[in-house]
Amino acid sequence: MTYIPGLEGVVAARTRLSFVDGQAGELFIGGFPVEVLAPHATFEEAAFLLWHDRLPDAAELRDLHDRFVAARELPGEVVDLLRAAADRNAPVIDALRMAAAALSLDDPDPQHNDPANNLRRAEQLCARFPVVVATYWRMRHGQAPIAPRADLDHAANCLYMLNGTAPDAEAARALETYFVTVIDHGMNASTFTARVITSTQSDLYSAITGAIGALKGPAHGGAPGPALDMVFEIGQLDKAEANIRGRLERGERLMGFGHRVYKVRDPRADVLAAAADRLFQRAGDRSLYDMARGVEAVALRLLEEYKPGRKLQTNVEYYTAMVLHGVGLPTELFTPMFAVGRAGGWSAHCLEQWTDNRLIRPSSDYLGVKDRAWVPIDRR
Ligand code: ACO
């Protein structure tokens, strides 16, 4: 057996959910190019597509919206848990991870893994994630949580519950586009985590909780905050060269660049750049956006200089930072928002894994010794 560090190039699942071609820079989600799906679909539509392998008709979408609305009320124990986390100032992504695990509390039979119940759980978890994030965010800032609004879709309701005012159509659309852009992406680390947990016949709450833990790290979903921080730190385009050179000289990684699979530009970066462009035309800090584009060009040039041949390109996180900043979200909410979008894909992968399950259980190369002699504790 061959040891493959990071399982690079290992095919660990068969899926109909998304297809990533890292050489061609292509991403298909539920059969649609991301460039087609993301600007048009709502999160509910894209999640339905992944769960059912087809788009919903108008009545089905209305019914799904109604089920999302009904699921938005959190169990009281979860609200108490969020309050306890807020008292300790826990990071938002940690509060979401704790809440995801506790959301099984109002499930009458969380261990019963039949397909209908798992689909209901998938819908409920997805519907509740933005509610958890917004409720927690307000608690942590000493503000009263805001009740959800039944007339608002997923993204608009999320912004409403955060800010207390309904967003304009463009901001809501930009956030929908973001959620759909990141809803699924092949066998990424958090999705793999969810599938591994599911493959043991564990429950959906456990799988999604594990996935959030995997997403949190800076090598995966933790990058967009630091990417924006870098742009802010640079401050003026003529300072970009020295700042980025300094980072690369110190051996630092530039957040928002490089990808395990994409060796050309991540197509999601273009979809989100277009969304950011539209947002910043209308409002927000256009000069910041223009500078970010300039910083990107300098970063790509210097990455080629310092890391020639590694094919380091802009990834989804760089423009995630621009879109989420453009809709008025602070950097600490960037990774939690990634989880809100990716929950659609995680849950669809769990459902898919259950339909054709085999325990995921790879092997390891043993590097230890085999000839130790036992020494009793009083003689060590
Ligand atoms: N900045 C500077 N150098 C980099 C970067 C970067 N962003 N990414 C990779 N490199 C360098 C590495 O130092 C390494 O150099 P070496 O050959 O001299 O040792 C070479 O490129 C190859 O890097 P690997 O670590 O083998 O690449 P890997 O495929 O494991 O990493 C990863 C992919 C983790 C995304 C990496 O590019 C990275 O750390 N990027 C920054 C963080 C980031 O943007 N994460 C979000 C990813 S997208 C997502 O998960 C949604």
Side-chain angles (χ1 to χ4, degrees), residues 147-233:
R149 253 180 58 181
D151 60 315
L152 297 178
D153 276 346
H154 204 56
N157 182 61
C158 175
L159 292 172
Y160 169 70
M161 290 189 70
L162 280 164
N163 303 322
T165 47
D168 62 42
E170 278 182 68
R173 182 58 252 175
L175 190 57
E176 291 290 6
T177 297
Y178 169 69
F179 287 153
V180 177
T181 301
V182 300
I183 196 166
D184 196 46
H185 197 246
M187 202 42 46
N188 60 87
S190 55
T191 299
F192 183 56
T193 304
R195 284 192 86 125
V196 169
I197 294 173
T198 303
S199 82
T200 70
Q201 297 173 20
S202 180
D203 62 280
L204 191 69
Y205 302 98
S206 303
I208 302 291
T209 304
I212 295 172
L215 183 79
K216 175 183 161 178
H220 191 2
L228 186 64
D229 290 342
M230 180 178 82
V231 175
F232 278 135
E233 189 189 302

Side-chain angles (χ1 to χ4, degrees), residues 135-363:
T135 301
Y136 182 67
W137 182 254
R138 292 188 68 86
M139 280 176 174
R140 227 190 60 182
H141 289 85
Q143 298 166 318
I146 291 173
R149 253 180 58 181
D151 60 315
L152 297 178
D153 276 346
H154 204 56
N157 182 61
C158 175
L159 292 172
Y160 169 70
M161 290 189 70
L162 280 164
N163 303 322
T165 47
D168 62 42
E170 278 182 68
R173 182 58 252 175
L175 190 57
E176 291 290 6
T177 297
Y178 169 69
F179 287 153
V180 177
T181 301
V182 300
I183 196 166
D184 196 46
H185 197 246
M187 202 42 46
N188 60 87
S190 55
T191 299
F192 183 56
T193 304
R195 284 192 86 125
V196 169
I197 294 173
T198 303
S199 82
T200 70
Q201 297 173 20
S202 180
D203 62 280
L204 191 69
Y205 302 98
S206 303
I208 302 291
T209 304
I212 295 172
L215 183 79
K216 175 183 161 178
H220 191 2
L228 186 64
D229 290 342
M230 180 178 82
V231 175
F232 278 135
E233 189 189 302
I234 290 171
Q236 276 173 248
L237 191 51
D238 58 5
K239 303 220 166 81
E241 173 107 13
N243 183 294
I244 294 174
R245 242 180 227 292
R247 288 167 187 266
L248 293 172
E249 295 280 350
R250 291 192 296 276
E252 288 175 21
R253 290 185 177 216
L254 304 182
M255 294 292 124
F257 296 88
H259 198 275
R260 174 61 63 82
V261 178
Y262 290 117
K263 299 306 165 198
V264 296
R265 194 175 161 84
D266 183 336
R268 298 170 299 174
D270 285 334
V271 171
L272 294 182
D277 214 271
R278 274 193 300 276
L279 258 183
F280 285 100
Q281 296 281 358
R282 174 190 57 99
D285 189 351
R286 179 79 208 180
S287 60
L288 175 85
Y289 178 67
D290 289 339
M291 189 186 65
R293 297 214 71 140
V295 168
E296 179 192 15
V298 175
L300 290 173
R301 176 167 51 78
L302 293 182
L303 281 169
E304 189 47 37
E305 183 183 324
Y306 281 82
K307 299 282 174 185
R310 292 355 174 261
K311 299 183 176 164
L312 300 171
Q313 296 290 329
T314 316
N315 66 42
V316 66
E317 303 288 38
Y318 193 77
Y319 282 99
T320 289
M322 291 302 122
V323 171
L324 297 186
H325 177 70
V327 297
L329 297 178
T331 49
E332 210 203 318
L333 288 178
F334 290 3
T335 306
M337 285 297 146
F338 193 170
V340 169
R342 186 54 62 82
W346 289 334
S347 56
H349 275 273
C350 294
L351 298 176
E352 193 176 61
Q353 182 72 31
W354 273 307
T355 59
D356 184 20
N357 187 36
R358 182 160 168 80
L359 175 69
I360 299 174
R361 203 304 188 186
S363 306

